[in-house]
């Protein structure tokens, strides 16, 4: 049975104090009603250590939103995978469209980041997805396949077992537009078939593939009911405990 996951991605939001309050709020809600899925909080680097201390590890896992593509050294302002691991975080989000778009992260850079994350015992939530232009040109399948081939298909099957895929249509992030549940299911099924072609059916069936892109409490149940959608990577709706909990509730 593959892992069902609801992961929050706070992005560049919340001061340290606000982040601790948010983590407490989510933790308190889950203490009253234990989740029927894995819950992950993806936080800015400065929050990691405190959020790890704040939450009950049986209820909530913690993730960084990024890590460096270098092991250590004279890279001012960067945070290595080893540093992330040392905070007690268990996951790292890599390949987010904002990192690719605003910071020019290439397949090669992401390949390095993925390898360093895995080498340091982190699990990776690896983001893929197409722009509106690519979707309108019906290129979404080619785009997601190239992103997988460029950065994670160099891994062994054993290494790939530590990868969670997050499909995020760039045109649906923070825009209020959402892929229909049928559109999302169609591409999730395609992604699973590409993984099966590379690693075999068993690996593909065990890979969690999350939907990211304006997922909220009102549409989560319909999305998560689809056979190839294994949860969500949640942006804006993860910034209030009640909103985030409403999405987690889709599994209860």
């Amino acid at each position: 049975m593959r892992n069902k996951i609801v992961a929050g991605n706070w992005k560049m939001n919340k001061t340290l104090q606000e982040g601790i309050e948010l983590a407490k709020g989510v933790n308190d809600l889950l203490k009253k009603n234990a989740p029927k899925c894995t819950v992950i909080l993806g936080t800015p680097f400065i929050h990691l250590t405190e959020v790890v201390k704040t939450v009950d590890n049986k209820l909530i896992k913690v993730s960084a939103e990024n890590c460096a593509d270098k092991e250590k050294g004279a890279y001012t302002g960067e945070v290595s995978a080893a540093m992330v691991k040392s905070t007690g975080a268990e996951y790292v989000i890599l390949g987010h469209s904002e990192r690719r778009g605003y910071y020019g992260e290439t397949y090669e850079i992401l390949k390095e980041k993925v390898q360093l994350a895995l080498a340091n015992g982190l699990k990776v939530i690896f983001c893929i997805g197409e722009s509106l232009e690519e979707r309108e040109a019906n290129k979404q399948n080619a785009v997601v396949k190239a992103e997988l081939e460029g950065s994670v298909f160099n891994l062994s099957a054993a290494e790939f077992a530590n990868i969670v895929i997050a499909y995020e249509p760039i045109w649906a992030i923070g825009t209020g537009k959402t892929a229909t549940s049928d559109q999302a299911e169609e591409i999730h099924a395609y992604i699973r078939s590409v993984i099966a072609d590379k690693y075999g059916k068993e690996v593909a069936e065990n890979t969690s593939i999350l939907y990211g892109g304006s997922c909220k409490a009102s549409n989560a149940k319909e999305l998560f009911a689809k056979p190839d959608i294994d949860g969500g990577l949640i942006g804006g709706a993860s910034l209030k405990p009640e909103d985030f909990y409403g999405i987690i509730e889709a599994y209860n």
Side-chain angles (χ1 to χ4, degrees):
M1 199 48 194
R2 61 179 173 264
N3 201 7
K4 304 296 185 187
I5 298 169
V6 176
N9 177 18
W10 294 359
K11 307 191 182 187
M12 196 174 72
N13 291 295
K14 304 293 179 187
T15 63
L16 179 57
Q17 294 74 19
E18 289 167 347
I20 292 166
E21 283 309 304
L22 173 52
K24 270 186 191 152
V26 175
N27 196 70
D28 288 348
L29 287 168
L30 295 181
K31 267 200 297 206
K32 290 178 195 154
N33 193 3
K36 293 191 168 64
C37 60
T38 298
V39 176
I40 302 170
L41 295 181
T43 82
F45 291 129
I46 65 153
H47 299 67
L48 291 174
T49 305
E50 289 302 321
V51 169
V52 166
K53 283 188 217 161
T54 299
V55 300
D56 179 345
N57 180 255
K58 292 188 202 67
L59 297 174
I60 297 173
K61 308 297 180 191
V62 180
S63 174
E65 297 178 13
N66 184 28
C67 71
D69 61 337
K70 302 288 191 290
E71 198 174 343
K72 61 180 176 185
Y75 302 102
T76 301
E78 289 295 300
V79 174
S80 72
M83 291 173 180
V84 170
K85 180 68 175 175
S86 74
T87 67
E90 294 178 50
Y91 289 81
V92 60
I93 299 166
L94 296 174
H96 195 282
S97 59
E98 289 158 5
R99 299 291 321 169
R100 294 176 191 262
Y102 303 150
Y103 303 103
E105 293 190 359
T106 61
Y107 295 166
E108 204 51 46
I109 288 169
L110 289 168
K111 188 194 256 186
E112 295 296 326
K113 290 188 178 200
V114 168
Q115 285 176 320
L116 285 165
L118 296 180
N120 283 281
L122 293 166
K123 294 186 176 77
V124 174
I125 299 172
F126 189 77
C127 303
I128 58 176
E130 80 283 357
S131 66
L132 184 58
E133 201 180 1
E134 288 162 340
R135 166 63 72 161
E136 285 173 345
N138 204 29
K139 288 182 179 166
Q140 63 271 17
N141 287 9
V143 170
V144 296
K145 187 178 185 188
E147 288 175 334
L148 291 168
E149 288 175 343
S151 303
V152 292
F153 275 4
N154 58 301
L155 302 173
S156 69
E159 289 170 325
F160 192 81
N162 293 299
I163 303 286
V164 172
I165 301 296
Y167 166 70
E168 33 153 47
I170 298 164
W171 47 273
I173 298 173
T175 60
K177 288 182 184 177
T178 314
T180 66
S181 57
D182 288 339
Q183 278 176 321
E185 168 58 22
E186 184 184 0
I187 194 153
H188 277 238
Y190 172 73
I191 293 163
R192 203 175 302 286
S193 76
V194 172
I195 296 168
D197 289 345
K198 172 69 183 172
Y199 292 108
K201 194 169 186 331
E202 190 181 345
V203 171
E205 284 304 320
N206 286 323
T207 301
S208 297
I209 307 175
L210 314 183
Y211 174 77
S214 299
C215 179
K216 41 197 177 286
S218 58
N219 60 17
K221 207 161 195 166
E222 187 187 346
L223 285 162
F224 298 172
K226 294 292 184 183
D228 288 292
I229 300 178
D230 304 310
L233 179 59
I234 315 302
S238 69
L239 295 174
K240 289 185 180 160
E242 295 75 16
D243 293 351
F244 191 50
Y245 181 70
I247 296 170
I248 295 163
E249 274 283 270
Y251 277 123
N252 288 1

